Amino acid sequence: MTSDAVRIGVAGLGRAFMLMLPTFRNDPRIKLVAAAAPRAASRAAFEAEFGGRTYATVEELAKDADVDLIYIATPHQMHAEHVDAAARGGKHILVDKPLAVSMGDADHMVAAAEAAGVHLIVGPSHSFDPPVSLARTLIESGEFGAVRMVQALNYTDFLYRPRRPEELRTEEGGGVLFSQGIHQIDIVRLLCGGRARSVTAQTGAWDPDRPTEGAYCALMDFQSGAFASLTYSGYAHFDSDCWMNDVGELGGPKSPEGYGQARKALRDLDPGAEAQLKSTRTYGAGREPLAPKHNEHFGPILVSCDRADLRLTPDGVEIFADTKRSFRKAPLDPAPRKPVIDAVVAAVCESISPAQTGRWGRASLEVCHAILQSAERRKTILLTRQCGTTPKEIHS
Amino acid sequence: MTSDAVRIGVAGLGRAFMLMLPTFRNDPRIKLVAAAAPRAASRAAFEAEFGGRTYATVEELAKDADVDLIYIATPHQMHAEHVDAAARGGKHILVDKPLAVSMGDADHMVAAAEAAGVHLIVGPSHSFDPPVSLARTLIESGEFGAVRMVQALNYTDFLYRPRRPEELRTEEGGGVLFSQGIHQIDIVRLLCGGRARSVTAQTGAWDPDRPTEGAYCALMDFQSGAFASLTYSGYAHFDSDCWMNDVGELGGPKSPEGYGQARKALRDLDPGAEAQLKSTRTYGAGREPLAPKHNEHFGPILVSCDRADLRLTPDGVEIFADTKRSFRKAPLDPAPRKPVIDAVVAAVCESISPAQTGRWGRASLEVCHAILQSAERRKTILLTRQCGTTPKEIHS
C-alpha cells in the first residue's frame, strides 16, 4: 500500500461490493478507508477486515474528510440521493451501473457532479472487461476498417436469481433492462462510437410470478452508420455461455450439472424468504468469490468491420479477417476488475476521465428507456442524449 | 419406381437442380421425365441419366402431356414467366425460393396458379429441414407454451461464392435478401405462426466490388405477439457454423482449413471468369454432391417459449426446459430433401398443400422487400400480405 493510494469510502456492502472485493483487496493503488451500510453485520465485517470507519448512512460517509472517492454500490433507486450526498461532500464518485433509474435523476446527478467539480464514473460494468477494451483498440487501429454491424446476445438465468421485491418492479429499476441490458448497451455503444441515433425494440414479460421484463430484442443504429442487434433473455433456459467457451459471466467454468439450479432453488422457498436468500450473497455472510481463470464477459458479441469480424471471447478477441483468422489475447489480471481501478486512479490522480462518465451512463440509460418505450408504443424512438467515447467529446 | 410416380419436368439444370439431385435420384415416388435448359451439355447429361425428353425452353416443357409437375429451378428473375407457362400448361408447380423478385410478379404467379387450379409450392427452402419441422411439432404440442421470441443468425461466405452478374444487382434479385434472407424469414415465420405484423431493419452493402446487400439485421413482430431478431452476414468472415456443431449448410463437416477459401478463389480471377466458374457448379459439369451425415440447416436458431427454449441443431432440437435439458433427434434421410418430395406427392396425389404455398412465398417475399424498404426509409414497415401456416388459412 503506497502512502498516496486513493482513499475509497464504500456506500453499500451488498452483492455489488462482493463482486468488487477481490479487486479492492489486491490493488495497492487504492485503500478502503470507510464504509456506509444499514446492516450492522456488514459494517462489523468491514471494520474487521479493513480497519476503516463505518457509518449507517451515506450522508455521514460523505462528510468523512479522509475519503477521496465514494464507491456507490447501493440499490439502483438510491443512486441519485447518494451521488448527490457524495458530490456535496466534494468526493469523486464511482457509481455502480445503472447510473440511475429515471432520466430526471440521471440529469440531476450529472449536474451535481459537474457543479461540484468531481469525477463521476459509472462502473463497474462489463464495458470495462479487457476483451472489450482490446476490441476497441483493434477497431481504433483502423486495420480492419469501419465498424458496420454488431451482434450481441445473452441468455442467462437472471430473472431467477434471488431478488428483493423491487428488483421485479420495472418502475423501481427492476427487470433485465436496468440491471443487465445496461451492460450490453454500454458495450455496444463503446464498439460503435457511442452516439446512437435510434432504437426499435420488443420486450417480453412472460412469467406472471415475476412480472417484469425478462427479455428483449432491440435494433439500434448509430450516427457512425453502424447498426446493432441486441438480444437478452433472463428466463433460465438456453445458456449462451456455451458459445463463450463454457465460461460464465464472472470468468469461472460453467458446468452442465448446474442446469436449472436457479429455478429449482427458488421453487420451494417460503414467501418472503427470497430477499433473505439474496442477503446470503452479501458481504460478511461468509461466501467469497473465487479467482477466475478467464475474463468476465457479457455473452457472445460479434463486431463486423469492413475487413474482419471480431468475436469477443472470455480470453480475448478472435479476428476473422479476409483470408486468415487469428487470436489476440486480452490481459488477465488476478484482480478481475482492475480496469475499473485504472479508471479511478486516472480520474482522481491525473484528472483523466474514462469513457464511462456520468454523461455516458445517462446516454446508456436513455437507451434502456427507449427500449421500454419502443416496445410499449410500437415505434422507433429517436435518441437525444447520446455522447461519444472520448472524454473530450463527453465534456464538450 | 412405381407406375404411379409423380412425373416431374425440370426447368433449369443449374446449381439449384444439383442440390436436389440426390433427392430426385433416391425417391421412388417421383420420376424425372423431362427437362428444359438452354445449355446443350446439361440437356445431354439429363437425357443420358434419366432417359427423358429435353427442351430448350420452359414454354415447350409446359406442353409436354406426360408431365404432372414442373420444378422451376431457373434464376429468380425468370420464375414469373416460367410459373406462368407451367400454369397455362395445367401443370402443378414446385418453384425454387424466392417465389419471385417483385411483389407484382408474385401476385401474378399466385393468381395464375389459382386460376389454373394447380398447386404452387415454393421450395426447396430450409423451412423444409427436418429440425424445423420437429420444432414446429414441439411447439404445436403445446407442452412448452407459446412462442415468445426467436433469435436467428447466420454468418456465411455467400457474397464471395461465384456469381453471375445479376446476382450482385439487388433490383434483379441479387444480394443476400432474396437468396438467403428468404430462408431465414421462411423459418422464422413458420415458427411464429406466419402472420408477421411489422419489420424494422438495417442493411449493409459494404464491398464496393460487390455492390449489393451483403448483410442485415431485422426485428419482426407477429400477430401472435411473438417477436424475432434476424441477422445475416454473407461477408465471409466469422462463420456461425461453429455454433452448429461445425456442420455446414448442406449437412457436411466444416473444416477450419477451408477458412477464407471463397475470397481467395475469386481474388485472382480474370474479369468475366466468375460466371464461368459458377457454371462448373451446374449439372453435367462432373461435380456431384456428397451424401451428408447431418440435416441441412440455416444457422443458429433459438425459439424462446414460455416453459423452454428450443435450439435447432443439424441433428434435431435441444430442449432447454425449466429444470432439465433434453435432445430430440430429427429424422435423417439419405436423400436430404425428402420433405420437399413429401410435399410434392401430398399435393399432386392427395391435393394437400404444405405451408409453403404461393401465398406463403409471397408473404416471405413481402418481408424481404420490407427489410430493404425499412433500411432505406429508416422506418418500420407494416406488412399487409401475410398468411398463416396451415393450408386452410392460406386458401381462405
Side-chain angles (χ1 to χ4, degrees):
Chain A
M1 190 81 62
T2 63
S3 60
D4 56 353
V6 175
R7 296 163 303 172
I8 295 179
V10 180
L13 297 171
R15 175 80 180 149
F17 173 66
M18 285 288 276
L19 292 171
M20 275 300 286
L21 251 187
T23 308
F24 283 140
R25 281 176 177 146
N26 286 295
D27 201 313
R29 297 172 298 170
I30 57 100
K31 183 177 181 179
L32 300 193
V33 297
R39 293 164 47 91
S42 300
R43 293 199 300 270
F46 185 91
E47 287 170 14
E49 175 165 1
F50 299 102
R53 299 167 297 284
T54 64
Y55 305 95
T57 68
V58 180
E59 196 74 31
E60 294 167 276
L61 172 65
K63 290 174 183 156
D64 186 321
D66 202 35
V67 166
D68 298 316
L69 174 142
I70 296 182
Y71 168 42
I72 296 172
T74 53
H76 307 164
Q77 68 276 20
M78 298 173 167
H79 285 181
E81 179 192 334
H82 294 158
V83 163
D84 196 56
R88 277 187 284 110
K91 310 302 184 191
H92 297 296
I93 301 159
L94 173 68
V95 58
D96 219 70
K97 58 82 208 166
L99 174 64
V101 176
S102 77
M103 288 301 288
D105 276 355
D107 285 337
H108 178 79
M109 293 152 86
V110 168
E114 291 180 356
V118 297
H119 282 281
L120 174 57
I121 303 170
V122 185
S125 93
H126 284 294
S127 66
F128 286 94
D129 293 344
V132 176
S133 302
L134 175 56
R136 279 188 73 192
T137 303
L138 291 169
I139 290 164
E140 285 163 9
S141 78
E143 185 178 350
F144 307 110
V147 171
R148 300 296 195 162
M149 178 171 87
V150 174
Q151 172 78 29
L153 53 93
N154 205 4
Y155 285 66
T156 77
D157 61 5
F158 177 80
L159 208 62
Y160 296 92
R161 297 174 198 158
R163 296 285 162 223
R164 294 184 304 273
E166 76 269 20
E167 291 179 288
L168 299 173
R169 291 194 289 262
T170 308
E171 63 280 11
E172 293 178 49
V176 298
L177 262 313
F178 298 104
S179 287
Q180 297 282 284
I182 194 81
H183 286 295
Q184 209 175 39
I185 293 161
D186 255 8
I187 294 168
V188 169
R189 287 185 58 237
L190 268 181
L191 298 172
C192 294
R195 297 183 189 277
R197 202 190 68 88
S198 76
V199 175
T200 313
Q202 296 279 343
T203 60
W206 306 321
D207 183 346
D209 291 337
R210 299 175 93 75
T212 183
E213 291 75 22
Y216 62 82
C217 285
L219 179 66
M220 296 176 67
D221 72 324
F222 288 83
Q223 289 185 20
S224 66
F227 53 88
S229 171
L230 293 76
T231 297
Y232 188 93
S233 168
Y235 283 103
H237 290 139
F238 174 70
D239 181 347
S240 55
D241 289 341
C242 71
W243 291 344
M244 293 301 281
N245 307 344
D246 293 311
V247 171
E249 178 182 355
L250 301 181
K254 218 48 184 289
S255 135
E257 284 78 58
Y259 190 82
Q261 284 308 317
R263 214 184 232 100
K264 282 178 204 159
L266 285 186
R267 193 160 274 181
D268 302 321
L269 279 185
D270 291 327
E274 184 176 341
Q276 201 177 344
L277 180 60
K278 172 144 192 175
S279 75
T280 65
R281 292 150 62 99
T282 199
Y283 182 58
R287 289 165 55 133
E288 295 293 329
L290 302 170
K293 299 263 196 313
H294 308 273
N295 279 298
E296 298 192 359
H297 72 81
F298 202 70
I301 293 173
L302 295 165
V303 186
S304 295
C305 304
D306 280 326
R307 291 182 291 279
D309 285 353
L310 308 179
R311 175 189 178 189
L312 279 63
T313 81
D315 301 310
V317 175
E318 279 194 271
I319 302 169
F320 298 86
D322 281 358
T323 53
K324 67 186 172 77
R325 54 185 285 189
S326 58
F327 179 73
R328 284 281 293 273
K329 201 168 161 51
L332 176 68
D333 204 84
R337 296 176 172 191
K338 179 171 170 288
V340 178
I341 307 300
D342 294 345
V344 161
V345 171
V348 175
C349 303
E350 301 170 62
S351 204
I352 297 170
S353 290
Q356 296 92 336
T357 60
R359 285 173 185 249
W360 175 271
R362 180 172 64 183
S364 289
L365 182 66
E366 185 191 24
V367 177
C368 288
H369 283 286
I371 288 174
L372 290 168
Q373 285 164 11
S374 175
E376 192 185 332
R377 301 179 195 170
R378 294 190 159 199
K379 59 181 286 196
T380 297
I381 305 295
L382 294 177
L383 302 166
T384 60
R385 317 291 283 281
Q386 297 296 296
C387 64
T389 55
T390 65
K392 181 166 155 281
E393 285 185 273
I394 290 162
H395 289 130
S396 68
Chain B
M1 191 81 61
T2 64
S3 60
D4 57 351
V6 175
R7 296 164 302 171
I8 295 179
V10 180
L13 297 172
R15 175 81 182 148
F17 174 65
M18 285 288 276
L19 292 171
M20 275 300 285
L21 251 187
T23 307
F24 284 139
R25 281 178 177 146
N26 286 295
D27 201 313
R29 297 171 298 169
I30 57 102
K31 183 176 180 180
L32 300 192
V33 297
R39 293 163 48 92
S42 300
R43 292 199 301 270
F46 185 90
E47 286 169 16
E49 175 166 3
F50 298 102
R53 299 166 297 283
T54 63
Y55 306 96
T57 69
V58 180
E59 194 74 31
E60 294 166 275
L61 173 66
K63 289 174 184 157
D64 187 321
D66 201 35
V67 166
D68 299 316
L69 174 142
I70 296 183
Y71 168 43
I72 296 172
T74 53
H76 307 165
Q77 67 277 18
M78 298 174 166
H79 285 182
E81 179 191 333
H82 294 159
V83 162
D84 197 54
R88 278 187 282 110
K91 311 301 185 192
H92 297 296
I93 301 158
L94 172 69
V95 58
D96 219 69
K97 58 81 205 166
L99 174 64
V101 176
S102 77
M103 287 302 288
D105 276 355
D107 285 337
H108 177 79
M109 293 154 84
V110 168
E114 290 180 355
V118 298
H119 283 280
L120 173 58
I121 303 170
V122 185
S125 92
H126 284 294
S127 67
F128 286 94
D129 293 344
V132 176
S133 302
L134 175 56
R136 278 187 73 191
T137 303
L138 291 169
I139 290 165
E140 285 163 7
S141 78
E143 184 179 350
F144 307 109
V147 171
R148 301 296 195 163
M149 177 170 88
V150 174
Q151 172 78 30
L153 53 93
N154 205 4
Y155 285 65
T156 77
D157 61 4
F158 177 80
L159 209 62
Y160 296 92
R161 297 175 199 158
R163 298 284 161 221
R164 295 184 303 273
E166 76 269 20
E167 292 180 287
L168 299 174
R169 292 194 289 262
T170 307
E171 62 281 10
E172 294 178 48
V176 298
L177 263 313
F178 298 105
S179 287
Q180 297 282 285
I182 194 81
H183 286 295
Q184 208 175 40
I185 292 161
D186 255 9
I187 294 169
V188 170
R189 287 186 57 238
L190 269 181
L191 298 172
C192 294
R195 296 182 189 279
R197 202 189 69 86
S198 77
V199 176
T200 313
Q202 296 280 343
T203 60
W206 306 320
D207 182 347
D209 290 337
R210 298 176 93 73
T212 182
E213 291 75 21
Y216 62 82
C217 286
L219 179 66
M220 295 176 67
D221 72 326
F222 286 83
Q223 288 185 19
S224 66
F227 54 87
S229 171
L230 293 77
T231 297
Y232 189 92
S233 168
Y235 282 103
H237 290 137
F238 174 70
D239 181 349
S240 55
D241 290 341
C242 70
W243 291 344
M244 293 301 279
N245 308 343
D246 293 310
V247 171
E249 178 182 354
L250 301 181
K254 218 50 186 284
S255 133
E257 284 77 58
Y259 190 82
Q261 284 308 316
R263 214 183 232 100
K264 282 177 203 159
L266 284 187
R267 193 160 276 182
D268 302 321
L269 280 184
D270 290 330
E274 185 177 341
Q276 200 179 345
L277 180 60
K278 172 145 192 176
S279 75
T280 66
R281 291 149 62 99
T282 200
Y283 182 57
R287 288 164 56 133
E288 295 293 328
L290 301 170
K293 299 263 197 314
H294 308 273
N295 279 297
E296 299 192 358
H297 73 80
F298 202 71
I301 293 174
L302 296 165
V303 186
S304 294
C305 304
D306 281 326
R307 291 183 291 280
D309 285 353
L310 309 180
R311 175 190 178 188
L312 280 63
T313 81
D315 301 311
V317 176
E318 279 197 271
I319 303 170
F320 298 86
D322 281 358
T323 52
K324 68 187 172 75
R325 56 184 285 188
S326 58
F327 179 72
R328 285 280 293 276
K329 201 167 161 51
L332 177 68
D333 203 84
R337 293 175 175 192
K338 181 170 170 287
V340 177
I341 306 300
D342 295 344
V344 161
V345 171
V348 175
C349 303
E350 303 171 60
S351 203
I352 297 171
S353 290
Q356 295 93 336
T357 61
R359 285 174 185 250
W360 175 272
R362 180 174 64 184
S364 289
L365 182 66
E366 185 190 23
V367 177
C368 287
H369 283 285
I371 288 174
L372 290 168
Q373 286 165 10
S374 175
E376 191 185 332
R377 302 179 193 168
R378 293 192 162 196
K379 57 180 286 196
T380 297
I381 305 295
L382 294 177
L383 301 166
T384 59
R385 316 292 284 280
Q386 297 297 295
C387 63
T389 55
T390 66
K392 181 166 154 281
E393 287 185 272
I394 290 163
H395 290 129
S396 66

